Amino acid sequence: QKEVEQDPGPLSVPEGAIVSLNCTYSNSAFQYFMWYRQYSRKGPELLMYTYSSGNKEDGRFTAQVDKSSKYISLFIRDSQPSDSATYLCAMMGGSEKLVFGKGTKLTVNP
Amino acid sequence: EPEVTQTPSHQVTQMGQEVILRCVPISNHLYFYWYRQILGQKVEFLVSFYNNEISEKSEIFDDQFSVERPDGSNFTLKIRSTKLEDSAMYFCASSETSRLATQYFGPGTRLTVL
């Protein structure tokens, strides 16, 4: 089983839709969970950072962590064409390295 | 807003040549990292660096790789004898005061080995 699994998509939605992005993981040591956004040929840009289980909201973005199911989600409300990018989940725990998912490519169509 | 910068943005080299990739981390950050992303694949951890020494490295980071903080601002990754499979985007990252703090990434250097 891979340490972090993420459906690569691609995912295409109309403008204004609610987007749900998900990752599963196998390593129980993970305690810190992040979502990064990556535009083509650019560096990952941090969107959300969550410690342990629970929800965190920032504007149109909501991150959820369910440690009992080893499942994390990112929701984007009122999606915009500018949200079109690849979204990477990343996790950390027990060491300082980030372990990334493969990324989900999202396109929001006007 | 402070950001991590990297140079060059694109480096083309011949197989067997040495390359040095440069990074300027955010100024008050103490932990530094290199990651790489082969085209179409995951971002992978290479190495972390704190207090002028390597604190953790992956199995990818073999003897052909080295890192250095030659002065108070730069952080470098050297690949001694490049291979075709070293072609990738290399990202530098830094974090503030704790190894568990948020890591901020630079824009990357695209390395092409011919």
Side-chain angles (χ1 to χ4, degrees):
Chain A
Q1 185 180 10
K2 292 180 182 176
E3 209 166 12
V4 178
E5 299 212 46
Q6 183 177 9
D7 185 342
L11 183 61
S12 182
V13 301
E15 184 175 353
I18 296 174
V19 175
S20 172
L21 305 166
N22 311 292
C23 288
T24 58
Y25 63 95
S26 58
N27 189 343
S28 299
F30 289 145
Q31 296 183 66
Y32 298 86
F33 304 91
M34 291 126 238
W35 286 94
Y36 285 84
R37 178 172 60 196
Q38 186 178 28
Y39 294 109
S40 182
R41 297 190 181 272
K42 301 292 185 185
E45 170 196 8
L46 181 70
L47 280 177
M48 302 285 284
Y49 177 98
T50 311
Y51 170 67
S52 195
S53 284
N55 293 1
K56 186 172 183 179
E57 190 172 319
D58 184 2
R60 296 185 295 111
F61 298 89
T62 300
Q64 286 186 352
V65 175
D66 181 349
K67 289 189 71 180
S68 61
S69 303
K70 297 190 176 66
Y71 187 87
I72 71 169
S73 301
L74 177 71
F75 297 95
I76 308 173
R77 290 185 298 282
D78 188 24
S79 55
Q80 303 294 310
S82 57
D83 294 329
S84 298
T86 296
Y87 289 80
L88 311 173
C89 62
M91 308 177 188
M92 183 165 57
S95 84
E96 57 204 281
K97 71 176 186 182
L98 283 174
V99 180
F100 282 86
K102 198 170 182 180
T104 300
K105 185 172 182 180
L106 170 68
T107 301
V108 180
N109 301 299
Chain B
E1 184 175 325
E3 57 183 19
V4 177
T5 59
Q6 290 185 244
T7 54
S9 57
H10 188 196
Q11 173 89 49
V12 180
T13 190
Q14 296 291 324
M15 189 170 55
Q17 294 297 303
E18 175 183 287
V19 294
I20 297 176
L21 310 183
R22 291 182 167 80
C23 168
V24 178
I26 295 172
S27 62
N28 63 335
H29 286 191
L30 301 178
Y31 294 79
F32 313 115
Y33 313 86
W34 284 101
Y35 291 79
R36 79 172 185 189
Q37 186 177 29
I38 294 171
L39 188 63
Q41 297 188 24
K42 292 184 180 186
V43 176
E44 301 173 287
F45 170 80
L46 291 177
V47 66
S48 59
F49 190 85
Y50 170 70
N51 200 25
N52 281 319
E53 59 183 33
I54 290 172
S55 48
E56 187 174 351
K57 61 182 181 179
S58 72
E59 59 192 25
I60 303 168
F61 194 88
D62 60 22
D63 291 345
Q64 69 161 341
F65 290 93
S66 62
V67 289
E68 191 178 33
R69 187 153 164 83
D71 54 44
S73 59
N74 291 283
F75 179 51
T76 62
L77 174 69
K78 181 192 290 186
I79 310 175
R80 288 191 184 82
S81 177
T82 50
K83 304 177 186 136
L84 294 176
E85 55 265 36
D86 293 328
S87 295
M89 284 289 284
Y90 288 80
F91 296 109
C92 174
S94 68
S95 63
E96 196 171 0
T97 55
S98 162
R99 67 183 182 91
L100 297 177
T102 306
Q103 295 180 23
Y104 294 89
F105 283 74
T109 292
R110 182 154 62 103
L111 177 64
T112 302
V113 182
L114 303 176

